[in-house]
Amino acid sequence: MPTAEIKKSRYLQETHAIKVFYETLDKETLQLIYYQIAKEKNGTGIIPILATAIPWLLFLFANPLENFLFHDGSSNWMIFAFLYLVLLSISLILHFKEKAWAVVHVEIIQDILAER
């Protein structure tokens, strides 16, 4: 794949736009943004905590939940399991996507600050 085509990649263009924006900012503002991103990066850990805490909450209500999900051959358990897995998948995808973007921003800012 030629270099020109690689440079036209949507992902590289997006990253380039972020870098160009950060290069226009003064050092103090850039450092404040860096601190904020570091905070956000560490705060995204709440999603996996919630994803693992929900089963424990359901475990507390196991008997009533079991009666609701499995009464008289009901298929409520399939709906419940499907919804739970979809929500879990979405939350984990969002978690790792946000974390990855935070790393990109941090690296760009660190490079700019090191150049100055």
Side-chain angles (χ1 to χ4, degrees):
M1 185 176 229
T3 305
E5 287 182 38
I6 293 172
K7 288 184 178 180
K8 290 181 182 177
S9 165
R10 176 179 71 103
Y11 301 109
L12 293 180
Q13 291 294 322
E14 192 173 13
T15 305
H16 178 71
I18 293 167
K19 184 178 182 201
V20 167
F21 169 72
Y22 284 146
E23 287 173 338
T24 64
L25 301 175
D26 62 286
K27 184 178 178 179
E28 183 180 339
T29 304
L30 205 52
Q31 285 177 325
L32 291 173
I33 292 172
Y34 173 80
Y35 300 143
Q36 183 64 30
I37 291 172
K39 183 188 103 175
E40 293 295 325
K41 182 178 141 187
N42 291 327
T44 59
I46 196 82
I47 293 172
I49 290 171
L50 289 175
T52 57
I54 290 171
W56 286 105
L57 179 64
L58 296 175
F59 181 71
L60 292 174
F61 303 105
N63 287 335
L65 185 61
E66 184 179 332
N67 290 337
F68 172 74
L69 294 177
F70 299 108
H71 76 280
D72 299 330
S74 173
S75 61
N76 288 344
W77 67 272
M78 287 189 281
I79 297 167
F80 174 80
F82 176 77
L83 289 175
Y84 177 73
L85 291 175
V86 166
L87 290 173
L88 179 65
S89 299
I90 290 170
S91 67
L92 289 176
I93 288 169
L94 288 175
H95 165 72
F96 286 111
K97 186 176 180 178
E98 291 296 320
K99 199 164 186 138
W101 271 114
V103 169
V104 168
H105 284 264
V106 165
E107 290 296 323
I108 291 171
I109 291 172
Q110 285 178 338
D111 287 346
I112 293 171
L113 288 173
E115 288 174 6
R116 293 181 182 175

